[in-house]
Amino acid sequence: MKNKILFTLIILFIPFLVSAKTDKVDLYLFHSETCSHCQAEIAFLKTLDDVNVHLYETTRDKKNSELLVKVKKKLEVNSPYVPFTVIGSKAFIGYNDTIKDLIIDSVDELKGKEYRDVVGEIIKTKKVREDLKIEGIVIDANSLNIPILGNINPKKVSIPLLAIIIGFVDGFNPCAMWVLIFLISMLIGMKNKKRMWILGVTFLLTSCIVYLFFMMAWLKITIQISSIFIVRLLIALVALIGGIINIRSYFKSSDGCEVTTKEKRQKIFTKIKNFTSSKSLIFALIGVITLAFSVNLIELACSAGLPLIFTQILALNNITGFLSFIYCLLYIVFFLLDDLIVFIIAMVTLNVTGISTRYTKYSHLIGGIIMIIIALLLVLKPSLLMFNF
Amino acid sequence: MKIVKFSAMWCSGCLVMNPIWEKIKKIYPQIEFINYDYDVDEDMKEKYKIGNILPEVIIYKDDKEVTRIIGEKKQKEIIKIIDSL
């Protein structure tokens, strides 16, 4: 009888023992099929013997992405990126050689020992148990430890960097510079210096708002449709054609101002003269706002390629809401930088200085190259634009 | 020698060239400089057959047009052109 009882106890406890002291460690990898780093990590994990690898593709399977949200909530991780690897209560964002070594170390550390399997818990209990507070250790592959600056996440830096570069290049756009210079020339002639500043700043602010509105609206559309390959192909085509046109105009255009049609020029000159000489500030403000609105719509058509590409990259990285607003604002600050420089120098010195059209030529070349590179990446290797390290 | 210059108040390239032409005037006090505004001096624009790239500069020697400088140029380049005539 004694033997029977002993035997029953062993059977009861074996599963508990196995799960606590199993020789194989459970590893959970949340990934996406277009992410090249995910594929690299999956290939690496196949070489490990002591690991039960659980794969969760998060872009096609809603259940998987919901599980990912629960796990990230438990581990207090707000990074939206994959690959996202969890072993016990340790999580790794991204994948590189450092993470690879850390995974090996973690597996060796947990093998044959008792450990909290956070993801396993959530899967079994279908919910996040709040009572068991854990110290989730999160290692972000993307962060680099740079002396003085400390922990910098290059992924978080690359999109703002792109906003600065593309915005700056987009800013050297000849389409509307002549209007701004003419407006400034008229403003400088005004006796009322306060009104001069008000009208000038209003022009620049309206330009900023128009561009921001366009970029945010375009981003909203792109986010919905950018996962459709055909749409990405179309955007890539627009970028490619835009790039070729830009490079062509680098070689074709001369270092001077191309004069637009007389009617168009006269129409804008008359408008500007009317409201800068008007007695009523309200009328002048309305005039400068409508001018900025129409001029920037021309600008958009003239250089729509670059903002289009930038918003496409935001869409690819699933950046929405307030963060996307900040990135678009950053883009526009650098887009308006040359206008700001010309404006402030003129307002302070009461003398209009121009910016050499050579910069416009170089911006055509650089802008064109950027557009072609991104166009090719959009089709051939979109994962490289997803900044998942 | 005579130099006829066409520019416009709204043309960024012209604004960049203005200080350069001021220096050239000091270097060559003997040359006659005539300035026209592309929007204001319409008749002159027709007479001198000015294109659609500004600034445009025509150099005359003995009342004969010898060359045109279109767009922005560095000061050295302009001095070289004038000295070669």
Side-chain angles (χ1 to χ4, degrees):
Chain A
M1 180 54 185
K2 226 163 133 192
N3 285 341
K4 259 189 195 156
I5 294 166
L6 195 66
F7 182 71
T8 321
L9 279 174
I10 290 167
I11 289 175
L12 271 174
F13 274 95
I14 282 175
F16 181 76
L17 291 174
V18 164
S19 73
K21 285 202 175 108
T22 171
D23 285 341
K24 286 213 170 191
V25 176
D26 284 306
L27 179 144
Y28 304 85
L29 173 61
F30 297 89
H31 67 99
S32 112
E33 59 182 21
T34 56
C35 148
S36 59
H37 299 282
C38 302
Q39 309 315 321
E41 181 173 354
I42 291 170
F44 156 66
L45 293 177
K46 281 181 182 149
T47 65
L48 299 182
D49 302 326
D50 319 323
V51 179
N52 292 320
V53 179
H54 307 275
L55 296 177
Y56 296 91
E57 209 289 335
T58 54
T59 53
R60 287 184 179 282
D61 187 323
K62 203 158 188 287
K63 271 200 282 109
N64 291 348
S65 55
E66 279 161 5
L67 175 60
L68 176 57
V69 169
K70 282 181 189 165
V71 171
K72 286 191 169 178
K73 187 177 168 227
K74 184 66 188 174
L75 292 173
E76 290 160 11
V77 170
N78 52 32
S79 149
Y81 298 108
V82 288
F84 183 69
T85 315
V86 185
I87 307 173
S89 57
K90 236 186 231 177
F92 306 98
I93 303 163
Y95 177 70
N96 58 17
D97 290 340
T98 318
I99 294 290
K100 188 173 164 181
D101 297 339
L102 289 170
I103 288 175
I104 294 169
D105 295 344
S106 304
V107 171
D108 292 342
E109 189 190 311
L110 298 181
K111 197 171 54 182
K113 290 201 185 79
E114 200 174 307
Y115 64 90
R116 280 287 309 284
D117 177 0
V118 170
V119 180
E121 265 174 42
I122 294 172
I123 292 172
K124 275 183 203 118
T125 61
K126 294 276 178 294
K127 63 182 175 60
V128 180
R129 287 177 45 186
E130 294 307 333
D131 54 332
L132 302 166
K133 186 74 188 109
I134 56 154
E135 271 308 305
I137 303 157
V138 179
I139 290 123
D140 190 336
N142 312 312
S143 57
L144 299 171
N145 202 298
I146 297 173
I148 304 167
L149 296 177
N151 240 334
I152 296 287
N153 182 338
K155 176 172 51 184
K156 289 202 174 89
V157 167
S158 29
I159 289 190
L161 206 59
L162 258 183
I164 290 168
I165 294 167
I166 299 182
F168 189 69
V169 168
D170 190 11
F172 282 103
N173 188 308
C175 297
M177 181 59 92
W178 64 277
V179 176
L180 178 68
I181 290 177
F182 187 83
L183 171 65
I184 290 174
S185 313
M186 289 293 110
L187 291 177
I188 286 178
M190 296 173 87
K191 291 188 188 62
N192 184 333
K193 295 308 171 203
K194 197 171 144 210
R195 176 181 281 208
M196 173 182 87
W197 276 95
I198 290 170
L199 293 181
V201 169
T202 306
F203 179 85
L204 291 173
L205 267 181
T206 311
S207 305
C208 179
I209 292 163
V210 168
Y211 231 76
L212 193 58
F213 180 79
F214 164 78
M215 288 181 83
M216 294 302 287
W218 179 252
L219 177 61
K220 260 220 175 342
I221 299 164
T222 324
I223 284 270
Q224 312 298 331
I225 56 176
S226 79
S227 56
I228 307 165
F229 181 70
I230 292 291
V231 170
R232 227 170 40 230
L233 199 67
L234 264 176
I235 290 172
L237 204 60
V238 167
L240 193 66
I241 294 164
I244 293 165
I245 291 170
N246 261 303
I247 289 178
R248 191 173 150 276
S249 61
Y250 167 77
F251 290 106
K252 283 251 182 241
S253 66
S254 72
D255 292 351
C257 306
E258 209 162 312
V259 186
T260 47
T261 61
K262 185 181 167 193
E263 295 69 34
K264 197 168 140 189
R265 278 201 333 274
Q266 294 305 342
K267 206 171 109 193
I268 287 188
F269 293 161
T270 318
K271 244 192 227 175
I272 292 176
K273 282 176 189 163
N274 284 346
F275 66 69
T276 49
S277 55
S278 124
K279 294 268 178 301
S280 143
L281 177 61
I282 299 294
F283 176 77
L285 279 174
I286 294 166
V288 85
I289 287 171
T290 45
L291 175 73
F293 199 82
S294 54
V295 156
N296 276 283
L297 286 185
I298 302 165
E299 281 250 2
L300 276 169
C302 186
S303 77
L306 286 172
L308 199 71
I309 283 177
F310 181 69
T311 43
Q312 171 65 32
I313 290 171
L314 292 184
L316 264 177
N317 284 272
N318 236 322
I319 295 176
T320 56
F322 186 66
L323 193 57
S324 63
F325 173 80
I326 295 294
Y327 284 151
C328 288
L329 200 60
L330 184 64
Y331 179 102
I332 286 163
V333 163
F334 280 85
F335 168 74
L336 283 176
L337 199 58
D338 60 330
D339 295 359
L340 272 170
I341 292 167
V342 169
F343 173 69
I344 290 169
I345 291 173
M347 293 294 121
V348 172
T349 63
L350 295 184
N351 180 33
V352 190
T353 49
I355 289 183
S356 171
T357 49
R358 274 189 203 105
Y359 296 122
T360 308
K361 269 188 82 167
Y362 293 132
S363 84
H364 280 312
L365 181 65
I366 298 164
I369 292 168
I370 289 175
M371 287 165 91
I372 288 173
I373 290 171
I374 292 178
L376 296 176
L377 287 180
L378 274 176
V379 177
L380 306 174
K381 204 96 163 110
S383 60
L384 286 184
L385 291 171
M386 294 175 83
F387 299 102
N388 290 333
F389 286 95
Chain B
M1 190 181 280
K2 180 173 79 172
I3 294 182
V4 177
K5 180 157 70 80
F6 280 82
S7 58
M9 63 188 294
W10 45 263
C11 160
S12 197
C14 306
L15 295 168
V16 166
M17 288 303 293
N18 284 343
I20 291 174
W21 282 108
E22 288 309 314
K23 287 179 194 152
I24 297 287
K25 276 182 190 170
K26 290 192 180 105
I27 297 169
Y28 300 96
Q30 75 285 7
I31 295 179
E32 180 194 1
F33 286 86
I34 303 170
N35 293 321
Y36 290 116
D37 184 287
Y38 187 85
D39 293 304
V40 175
D41 306 304
E42 300 253 21
D43 50 341
M44 289 299 156
K45 188 173 72 177
E46 306 306 333
K47 177 187 168 190
Y48 286 98
K49 298 187 183 60
I50 299 304
N52 72 335
I53 301 288
L54 292 176
E56 182 162 351
V57 173
I58 313 163
I59 301 181
Y60 288 85
K61 193 170 182 189
D62 307 328
D63 282 327
K64 251 196 286 143
E65 177 180 328
V66 283
T67 189
R68 289 190 177 216
I69 303 173
I70 295 174
E72 289 176 45
K73 287 284 183 279
K74 294 196 169 80
Q75 185 175 325
K76 279 181 296 180
E77 289 171 295
I78 297 172
I79 290 172
K80 203 168 151 200
I81 293 169
I82 294 174
D83 289 347
S84 67
L85 300 174

